[in-house]
Amino acid sequence: MPAVTVDNILTLPRIPAPAADVPARPVLGVRTAPVGYEGEGFPVRRAFAGIDQRFLDPFIHMDQMGEVQYAPGEPKGTPWHPHRGFETVTYMIDGILEHKDSNGGGGTIGGGDTQWMTAGSGILHIEAPPEHVVASGGLFHGVQLWVNLPRNHKMAQPRYQDIAGSHVALASSPDGGALVRVVAGEIGGVRGPGVTHTPIALAHLTVAPGASVTLPWHREYNALGYVLAGDGTVGAEHAPIRAGQTAVFGPNGDSVTFTADRTQDSRTESLEVFLLGGRPIREPVAMYGPFVMNTKAEIIQAFEDFQAGRLGTIPAGHEQLP
Protein backbone atom coordinates (compact mmCIF):
# COMPACT_ATOMS: atom_id res chain seq x y z
CA MET A 1 0.00 0.00 0.00
CA PRO A 2 2.38 2.73 -1.19
CA ALA A 3 0.18 5.84 -1.65
CA VAL A 4 2.61 8.63 -0.65
CA THR A 5 5.35 7.99 1.87
CA VAL A 6 8.72 9.35 2.97
CA ASP A 7 12.11 7.79 3.67
CA ASN A 8 12.40 9.42 7.10
CA ILE A 9 9.13 10.30 8.81
CA LEU A 10 11.00 12.23 11.49
CA THR A 11 11.80 14.98 8.98
CA LEU A 12 8.10 15.87 8.67
CA PRO A 13 6.20 18.49 10.68
CA ARG A 14 4.71 17.02 13.87
CA ILE A 15 1.05 17.26 14.74
CA PRO A 16 1.14 17.93 18.49
CA ALA A 17 -0.87 15.58 20.67
CA PRO A 18 -3.87 17.23 22.34
CA ALA A 19 -3.43 18.16 26.01
CA ALA A 20 -4.28 15.48 28.54
CA ASP A 21 -7.46 17.28 29.61
CA VAL A 22 -8.86 17.48 26.04
CA PRO A 23 -11.95 15.24 25.90
CA ALA A 24 -11.78 12.31 23.48
CA ARG A 25 -14.54 11.49 21.01
CA PRO A 26 -16.41 8.39 22.20
CA VAL A 27 -16.76 5.45 19.80
CA LEU A 28 -20.46 4.85 19.18
CA GLY A 29 -19.89 1.65 17.25
CA VAL A 30 -17.92 -0.29 14.65
CA ARG A 31 -19.62 -1.51 11.46
CA THR A 32 -18.36 -4.15 9.01
CA ALA A 33 -18.69 -3.08 5.37
CA PRO A 34 -20.49 -5.60 3.13
CA VAL A 35 -19.00 -6.56 -0.22
CA GLY A 36 -20.69 -5.49 -3.47
CA TYR A 37 -19.87 -4.80 -7.10
CA GLU A 38 -19.77 -1.54 -9.02
CA GLY A 39 -19.46 -0.35 -12.60
CA GLU A 40 -18.49 -3.17 -14.95
CA GLY A 41 -18.08 -5.59 -12.06
CA PHE A 42 -15.17 -4.52 -9.87
CA PRO A 43 -15.45 -5.49 -6.18
CA VAL A 44 -16.12 -2.85 -3.53
CA ARG A 45 -16.81 -2.64 0.19
CA ARG A 46 -19.74 -0.37 1.11
CA ALA A 47 -18.09 1.49 3.98
CA PHE A 48 -21.19 3.35 5.19
CA ALA A 49 -23.75 0.53 4.92
CA GLY A 50 -25.98 0.39 7.99
CA ILE A 51 -24.77 3.69 9.46
CA ASP A 52 -27.45 6.29 10.26
CA GLN A 53 -27.25 9.33 7.98
CA ARG A 54 -27.11 11.72 10.94
CA PHE A 55 -23.64 10.36 11.77
CA LEU A 56 -22.49 10.59 8.12
CA ASP A 57 -23.70 14.09 7.16
CA PRO A 58 -22.21 15.74 5.04
CA PHE A 59 -21.08 12.43 3.49
CA ILE A 60 -23.45 10.25 1.50
CA HIS A 61 -21.63 7.13 0.37
CA MET A 62 -18.15 5.58 0.35
CA ASP A 63 -16.68 2.52 -1.38
CA GLN A 64 -13.33 0.87 -0.87
CA MET A 65 -12.50 -0.19 -4.43
CA GLY A 66 -10.55 -3.44 -4.31
CA GLU A 67 -7.99 -4.37 -3.06
CA VAL A 68 -7.86 -6.76 -6.01
CA GLN A 69 -5.08 -8.30 -8.12
CA TYR A 70 -6.24 -8.37 -11.76
CA ALA A 71 -4.93 -10.78 -14.37
CA PRO A 72 -4.24 -9.42 -17.88
CA GLY A 73 -7.50 -8.39 -19.53
CA GLU A 74 -9.46 -8.25 -16.26
CA PRO A 75 -9.25 -4.60 -15.03
CA LYS A 76 -12.65 -2.90 -15.08
CA GLY A 77 -14.10 0.57 -14.74
CA THR A 78 -17.46 2.30 -15.13
CA PRO A 79 -19.38 3.27 -18.28
CA TRP A 80 -20.43 6.87 -18.94
CA HIS A 81 -22.94 7.97 -16.30
CA PRO A 82 -24.40 11.21 -14.89
CA HIS A 83 -24.16 12.94 -11.50
CA ARG A 84 -25.88 15.97 -9.96
CA GLY A 85 -25.96 17.59 -6.53
CA PHE A 86 -22.76 16.35 -4.87
CA GLU A 87 -19.00 15.80 -5.20
CA THR A 88 -17.10 12.58 -5.95
CA VAL A 89 -13.67 12.15 -4.41
CA THR A 90 -11.56 9.30 -5.84
CA TYR A 91 -8.37 8.51 -3.90
CA MET A 92 -6.05 5.95 -5.50
CA ILE A 93 -3.72 3.81 -3.41
CA ASP A 94 -2.57 1.19 -5.94
CA GLY A 95 -3.13 1.04 -9.69
CA ILE A 96 -4.02 3.63 -12.30
CA LEU A 97 -7.40 5.11 -13.20
CA GLU A 98 -8.39 7.49 -16.00
CA HIS A 99 -11.25 9.95 -15.73
CA LYS A 100 -13.04 11.87 -18.49
CA ASP A 101 -16.08 14.12 -18.23
CA SER A 102 -18.49 15.90 -20.54
CA ASN A 103 -16.87 19.29 -19.81
CA GLY A 104 -13.54 18.18 -21.25
CA GLY A 105 -11.99 17.60 -17.84
CA GLY A 106 -10.14 14.50 -16.80
CA GLY A 107 -6.77 13.00 -16.15
CA THR A 108 -4.91 9.99 -14.88
CA ILE A 109 -4.37 9.20 -11.21
CA GLY A 110 -2.14 6.64 -9.55
CA GLY A 111 -0.88 5.85 -6.05
CA GLY A 112 -1.64 8.74 -3.71
CA ASP A 113 -3.41 10.93 -6.30
CA THR A 114 -6.96 12.26 -5.91
CA GLN A 115 -9.62 13.25 -8.44
CA TRP A 116 -12.12 15.67 -6.93
CA MET A 117 -15.14 16.26 -9.15
CA THR A 118 -17.89 18.67 -8.20
CA ALA A 119 -20.89 17.48 -10.21
CA GLY A 120 -23.01 20.45 -9.11
CA SER A 121 -25.71 21.18 -11.68
CA GLY A 122 -24.81 18.08 -13.64
CA ILE A 123 -22.09 16.27 -15.54
CA LEU A 124 -21.41 13.01 -17.37
CA HIS A 125 -18.22 11.11 -16.63
CA ILE A 126 -16.41 7.82 -17.03
CA GLU A 127 -13.72 6.13 -14.93
CA ALA A 128 -11.65 3.26 -16.30
CA PRO A 129 -8.12 1.85 -16.23
CA PRO A 130 -6.00 2.89 -19.23
CA GLU A 131 -5.57 0.38 -22.07
CA HIS A 132 -2.04 -0.62 -21.07
CA VAL A 133 -3.28 -1.51 -17.55
CA VAL A 134 -6.14 -3.56 -19.00
CA ALA A 135 -3.57 -5.44 -21.10
CA SER A 136 -1.11 -6.07 -18.26
CA GLY A 137 -3.40 -6.41 -15.23
CA GLY A 138 -2.09 -5.54 -11.79
CA LEU A 139 -3.07 -4.40 -8.33
CA PHE A 140 -6.05 -2.03 -8.00
CA HIS A 141 -7.02 -0.32 -4.76
CA GLY A 142 -8.69 2.98 -3.96
CA VAL A 143 -11.53 4.81 -2.27
CA GLN A 144 -14.44 6.76 -3.71
CA LEU A 145 -16.30 9.14 -1.42
CA TRP A 146 -19.49 11.07 -2.14
CA VAL A 147 -19.68 14.47 -0.41
CA ASN A 148 -23.07 16.17 -0.29
CA LEU A 149 -23.50 19.77 -1.39
CA PRO A 150 -25.70 22.21 0.54
CA ARG A 151 -28.87 23.42 -1.14
CA ASN A 152 -27.32 26.71 -2.30
CA HIS A 153 -24.46 24.86 -4.08
CA LYS A 154 -26.30 21.90 -5.61
CA MET A 155 -26.64 23.67 -8.94
CA ALA A 156 -23.13 25.13 -8.91
CA GLN A 157 -20.99 25.07 -12.02
CA PRO A 158 -19.23 21.67 -12.28
CA ARG A 159 -15.61 21.78 -11.16
CA TYR A 160 -12.70 19.37 -11.40
CA GLN A 161 -9.58 19.16 -9.25
CA ASP A 162 -6.62 16.90 -9.97
CA ILE A 163 -4.66 16.59 -6.73
CA ALA A 164 -1.29 14.93 -7.28
CA GLY A 165 0.00 12.81 -4.43
CA SER A 166 3.06 15.06 -4.27
CA HIS A 167 0.78 17.94 -3.23
CA VAL A 168 -0.84 16.13 -0.31
CA ALA A 169 0.24 17.61 3.04
CA LEU A 170 2.37 15.17 5.08
CA ALA A 171 2.86 15.20 8.83
CA SER A 172 3.94 12.90 11.64
CA SER A 173 2.60 12.02 15.05
CA PRO A 174 4.82 13.37 17.88
CA ASP A 175 6.78 10.11 18.23
CA GLY A 176 7.00 9.35 14.52
CA GLY A 177 4.78 6.28 14.85
CA ALA A 178 2.13 7.50 12.41
CA LEU A 179 2.22 9.16 9.00
CA VAL A 180 -0.69 11.55 8.36
CA ARG A 181 -1.56 12.47 4.77
CA VAL A 182 -4.03 15.37 4.73
CA VAL A 183 -5.94 15.52 1.43
CA ALA A 184 -8.46 18.22 2.35
CA GLY A 185 -9.29 20.41 5.31
CA GLU A 186 -7.07 20.98 8.33
CA ILE A 187 -5.87 18.65 11.07
CA GLY A 188 -3.68 19.98 13.85
CA GLY A 189 -2.57 22.97 11.82
CA VAL A 190 -1.73 20.89 8.71
CA ARG A 191 -3.91 21.85 5.74
CA GLY A 192 -4.54 19.70 2.68
CA PRO A 193 -4.81 20.99 -0.91
CA GLY A 194 -8.42 19.96 -1.65
CA VAL A 195 -10.87 22.84 -2.16
CA THR A 196 -14.33 21.99 -0.82
CA HIS A 197 -17.79 23.57 -0.88
CA THR A 198 -18.63 21.85 2.40
CA PRO A 199 -16.14 22.20 5.29
CA ILE A 200 -14.54 18.77 5.81
CA ALA A 201 -11.29 17.10 6.81
CA LEU A 202 -9.97 14.07 4.95
CA ALA A 203 -6.77 12.13 5.68
CA HIS A 204 -5.04 8.76 5.18
CA LEU A 205 -3.21 7.53 8.28
CA THR A 206 -0.50 4.86 8.43
CA VAL A 207 0.08 3.73 12.02
CA ALA A 208 3.12 1.51 12.65
CA PRO A 209 2.68 -1.76 14.59
CA GLY A 210 2.31 -1.01 18.30
CA ALA A 211 2.05 2.75 17.72
CA SER A 212 -0.84 5.05 18.58
CA VAL A 213 -1.90 8.42 17.19
CA THR A 214 -4.26 10.92 18.80
CA LEU A 215 -5.29 13.80 16.54
CA PRO A 216 -7.10 17.02 17.42
CA TRP A 217 -10.53 17.12 15.83
CA HIS A 218 -12.79 20.03 14.90
CA ARG A 219 -15.57 20.33 17.47
CA GLU A 220 -18.25 21.06 14.83
CA TYR A 221 -17.33 18.09 12.62
CA ASN A 222 -18.55 14.53 12.79
CA ALA A 223 -15.84 11.83 12.69
CA LEU A 224 -15.50 8.47 10.93
CA GLY A 225 -12.55 6.15 10.49
CA TYR A 226 -12.51 3.37 7.90
CA VAL A 227 -9.78 0.72 8.12
CA LEU A 228 -8.25 0.04 4.71
CA ALA A 229 -5.84 -2.60 6.06
CA GLY A 230 -4.50 -3.96 9.29
CA ASP A 231 -5.77 -4.53 12.82
CA GLY A 232 -5.92 -2.27 15.84
CA THR A 233 -8.17 -0.38 18.21
CA VAL A 234 -10.03 2.91 18.05
CA GLY A 235 -10.82 5.52 20.66
CA ALA A 236 -9.74 5.91 24.27
CA GLU A 237 -11.85 2.82 25.02
CA HIS A 238 -9.68 0.73 22.65
CA ALA A 239 -12.55 -0.77 20.67
CA PRO A 240 -11.17 -3.51 18.36
CA ILE A 241 -11.23 -2.69 14.66
CA ARG A 242 -9.91 -4.40 11.53
CA ALA A 243 -9.77 -4.06 7.75
CA GLY A 244 -13.17 -3.43 6.19
CA GLN A 245 -14.71 -1.83 9.28
CA THR A 246 -15.86 1.72 9.98
CA ALA A 247 -15.65 3.38 13.39
CA VAL A 248 -18.37 5.93 14.13
CA PHE A 249 -17.42 8.57 16.71
CA GLY A 250 -19.88 10.49 18.85
CA PRO A 251 -20.43 14.24 18.50
CA ASN A 252 -18.73 15.36 21.73
CA GLY A 253 -14.98 15.60 22.17
CA ASP A 254 -11.97 17.23 20.55
CA SER A 255 -9.69 14.31 19.64
CA VAL A 256 -9.71 10.91 17.91
CA THR A 257 -7.34 8.00 18.57
CA PHE A 258 -6.18 4.99 16.55
CA THR A 259 -3.78 2.31 17.79
CA ALA A 260 -2.18 -0.43 15.69
CA ASP A 261 -1.82 -3.95 17.03
CA ARG A 262 1.79 -4.95 17.67
CA THR A 263 1.43 -7.90 15.31
CA GLN A 264 -0.13 -7.51 11.85
CA ASP A 265 -0.85 -10.25 9.33
CA SER A 266 1.69 -11.22 6.67
CA ARG A 267 0.06 -9.01 3.99
CA THR A 268 -0.11 -5.86 6.11
CA GLU A 269 2.77 -3.82 7.47
CA SER A 270 0.72 -1.22 9.36
CA LEU A 271 -2.77 -0.07 10.33
CA GLU A 272 -4.13 1.99 7.41
CA VAL A 273 -7.06 4.31 8.20
CA PHE A 274 -9.11 6.63 6.00
CA LEU A 275 -10.17 9.37 8.45
CA LEU A 276 -12.89 11.84 7.56
CA GLY A 277 -15.35 14.26 9.05
CA GLY A 278 -17.21 17.44 8.24
CA ARG A 279 -19.67 20.05 9.38
CA PRO A 280 -23.18 18.57 9.00
CA ILE A 281 -25.36 20.28 6.40
CA ARG A 282 -28.60 19.29 8.19
CA GLU A 283 -30.81 19.50 5.11
CA PRO A 284 -33.23 16.92 3.68
CA VAL A 285 -31.54 14.32 1.46
CA ALA A 286 -33.32 12.82 -1.55
CA MET A 287 -31.05 10.30 -3.27
CA TYR A 288 -31.65 8.00 -6.20
CA GLY A 289 -28.87 6.39 -8.21
CA PRO A 290 -26.41 9.06 -9.36
CA PHE A 291 -28.39 12.07 -8.08
CA VAL A 292 -28.37 13.58 -4.57
CA MET A 293 -30.87 16.42 -4.08
CA ASN A 294 -33.17 17.80 -1.37
CA THR A 295 -36.56 16.68 -2.68
CA LYS A 296 -38.13 13.92 -4.77
CA ALA A 297 -39.28 16.55 -7.28
CA GLU A 298 -35.65 17.61 -7.79
CA ILE A 299 -34.66 13.97 -8.40
CA ILE A 300 -37.37 13.65 -11.06
CA GLN A 301 -36.14 16.91 -12.62
CA ALA A 302 -32.57 15.57 -12.66
CA PHE A 303 -33.68 12.46 -14.59
CA GLU A 304 -35.63 14.61 -17.04
CA ASP A 305 -32.65 16.92 -17.55
CA PHE A 306 -30.34 13.94 -18.08
CA GLN A 307 -32.66 12.36 -20.64
CA ALA A 308 -32.95 15.70 -22.44
CA GLY A 309 -29.15 16.04 -22.64
CA ARG A 310 -28.99 19.03 -20.29
CA LEU A 311 -26.35 17.40 -18.06
CA GLY A 312 -23.86 17.33 -20.91
CA THR A 313 -23.02 15.17 -23.90
CA ILE A 314 -20.39 12.50 -24.39
CA PRO A 315 -17.40 13.86 -26.34
CA ALA A 316 -17.20 12.74 -29.97
CA GLY A 317 -15.38 9.48 -30.50
CA HIS A 318 -16.44 7.91 -27.21
CA GLU A 319 -18.95 5.11 -26.73
CA GLN A 320 -22.57 6.07 -26.19
CA LEU A 321 -24.63 5.47 -23.11
CA PRO A 322 -26.61 2.21 -23.33
Side-chain angles (χ1 to χ4, degrees):
M1 187 174 291
V4 175
T5 188
V6 292
D7 292 331
N8 184 2
I9 193 172
L10 297 178
T11 63
L12 296 175
R14 311 288 178 91
I15 296 179
D21 59 350
V22 170
R25 290 281 181 107
V27 178
L28 298 183
V30 173
R31 289 277 188 172
T32 299
V35 175
Y37 293 89
E38 192 57 78
E40 297 171 333
F42 57 84
V44 297
R45 280 187 174 271
R46 308 292 192 190
F48 293 163
I51 300 175
D52 193 296
Q53 181 58 40
R54 71 180 186 274
F55 300 121
L56 300 178
D57 187 12
F59 308 113
I60 296 293
H61 171 83
M62 191 170 84
D63 281 340
Q64 180 184 11
M65 305 180 296
E67 180 178 8
V68 59
Q69 181 72 45
Y70 283 121
E74 288 186 343
K76 301 174 178 67
T78 67
W80 284 94
H81 58 283
H83 286 305
R84 172 180 277 183
F86 66 103
E87 300 181 293
T88 62
V89 181
T90 305
Y91 174 67
M92 287 299 294
I93 299 168
D94 290 291
I96 303 173
L97 195 65
E98 286 185 338
H99 165 87
K100 296 183 179 68
D101 65 44
S102 53
N103 283 345
T108 301
I109 55 172
D113 298 338
T114 303
Q115 286 175 341
W116 200 300
M117 188 183 75
T118 303
S121 60
I123 199 166
L124 305 182
H125 82 143
I126 185 172
E127 297 162 301
E131 291 184 7
H132 71 89
V133 172
V134 174
S136 64
L139 187 61
F140 180 82
H141 190 197
V143 175
Q144 185 168 94
L145 171 70
W146 291 13
V147 185
N148 198 10
L149 288 170
R151 188 190 306 271
N152 60 334
H153 289 301
K154 282 199 175 292
M155 298 299 285
Q157 185 72 18
R159 181 178 65 186
Y160 174 74
Q161 301 174 67
D162 185 4
I163 303 171
S166 58
H167 293 161
V168 169
L170 302 180
S172 164
S173 59
D175 63 357
L179 173 62
V180 182
R181 308 167 186 84
V182 183
V183 178
E186 180 266 334
I187 299 175
V190 178
R191 181 168 294 278
V195 178
T196 70
H197 283 284
T198 304
I200 68 172
L202 180 62
H204 175 188
L205 317 180
T206 297
V207 188
S212 183
V213 58
T214 298
L215 298 172
W217 202 248
H218 198 297
R219 182 169 296 181
E220 296 180 1
Y221 288 9
N222 61 7
L224 302 149
Y226 178 77
V227 178
L228 296 163
D231 300 283
T233 64
V234 60
E237 53 270 70
H238 299 289
I241 195 166
R242 55 180 169 78
Q245 293 186 322
T246 302
V248 181
F249 291 90
N252 300 314
D254 300 313
S255 70
V256 294
T257 298
F258 296 90
T259 303
D261 286 354
R262 292 187 178 277
T263 302
Q264 301 291 330
D265 64 43
S266 59
R267 296 180 60 252
T268 306
E269 294 183 1
S270 305
L271 177 68
E272 304 283 349
V273 179
F274 200 66
L275 174 63
L276 64 162
R279 182 179 297 149
I281 296 173
R282 296 191 176 93
E283 292 178 355
V285 174
M287 177 178 173
Y288 192 88
F291 305 127
V292 181
M293 304 301 291
N294 294 113
T295 67
K296 181 179 178 180
E298 290 171 336
I299 293 291
I300 294 171
Q301 184 64 56
F303 272 102
E304 291 177 351
D305 289 345
F306 165 56
Q307 291 167 351
R310 290 189 286 269
L311 270 62
T313 57
I314 299 172
H318 293 273
E319 65 179 284
Q320 297 299 304
L321 286 160

